[in-house]
Amino acid sequence: MVLKATSITGRIAPDILNAAPDIKAVYLGLPAEAYIAANLAAISGPADLKIFEAVRHGRLLAKLGRKIPQGSTAGELAAIAWMVEHDNQQQARAAGGPPVLLLDFEMLLVDLEGNLAQVLRHFDLPPIADRLVKSPVLTRYSKAPEQLAFSPVARAERINQTRARFAAKIEKGLALINALQPR
């Protein structure tokens, strides 16, 4: 079975992995700066950040055990989201142990064939990464493949434009993460 969950559902990953200790999983994540930039670049990113703001704020508050500021900019909201999602990833890794392969999505795209080969090995599947990288599926946006051609190159260009356009918001988000990180 393959389940591709959206990042907001990452909070249930530890429960799933604890309930089924023999399953293998891949958990995709991003470093903080890349996560913030990707959220600011996404068409629905800022809206999604607002929709899940209260849930993520509550989870981070519970994790840190101290008052945290409400995010006021999209960069700060994305930073709060990253902290929660990053914690979900770490809990999933702890719950699943070696059967959970952690991958940085940005690095996955840099060496797609090599990383797909690693995923195939992880799941004990045939070594066909060289054929998979030629799939037209990898040139489409996964959440709306019928609407948007979106290759790794196009994604990188969009993220770089976002980094330039929203540098101040990204910096505010990173500053919030640095202020909130446990000492």
Side-chain angles (χ1 to χ4, degrees):
M1 175 173 81
V2 174
L3 171 67
K4 192 269 185 197
T6 184
S7 62
I8 192 70
T9 63
R11 65 186 182 272
I12 64 171
D15 294 333
I16 293 170
L17 292 165
N18 281 324
D22 294 334
I23 66 171
K24 293 182 180 181
V26 172
Y27 203 118
L28 291 174
L30 285 170
E33 188 276 340
Y35 183 95
I36 294 169
N39 271 276
L40 296 178
I43 294 168
S44 63
D48 286 348
L49 291 170
K50 284 304 267 183
I51 289 168
F52 295 110
E53 176 181 11
V55 170
R56 287 176 171 145
H57 192 271
R59 288 182 58 81
L60 188 56
L61 177 66
K63 165 125 179 95
L64 296 177
R66 60 186 166 104
K67 186 176 179 179
I68 59 173
Q70 291 290 123
S72 60
T73 68
E76 290 168 321
L77 291 176
I80 289 169
W82 179 83
M83 289 187 78
V84 171
E85 304 305 335
H86 185 69
D87 183 57
N88 291 339
Q89 182 182 35
Q90 297 309 309
Q91 288 183 37
R93 176 71 166 130
V100 179
L101 175 62
L102 300 179
L103 287 178
D104 176 325
F105 184 66
E106 298 248 300
M107 294 297 102
L108 175 109
L109 294 176
V110 168
D111 179 16
L112 193 54
E113 186 172 342
N115 283 293
L116 283 176
Q118 182 180 7
V119 169
L120 292 169
R121 282 191 304 275
H122 179 71
F123 287 110
D124 301 317
L125 295 170
I128 57 169
D130 59 328
R131 293 193 320 232
L132 292 176
V133 295
K134 297 173 187 166
S135 169
V137 170
L138 295 175
T139 64
R140 311 295 295 173
Y141 180 58
S142 66
K143 293 181 182 176
E146 70 286 350
Q147 296 177 13
L148 186 61
F150 200 62
S151 68
V153 171
R155 179 190 178 276
E157 288 172 2
R158 186 174 188 156
I159 296 293
N160 286 334
Q161 290 168 354
T162 299
R163 285 178 168 129
R165 183 173 175 202
F166 296 112
K169 288 182 181 181
I170 293 169
E171 284 304 315
K172 277 191 164 201
L174 293 173
L176 181 61
I177 290 169
N178 286 333
L180 294 177
Q181 289 287 10
R183 302 280 176 232

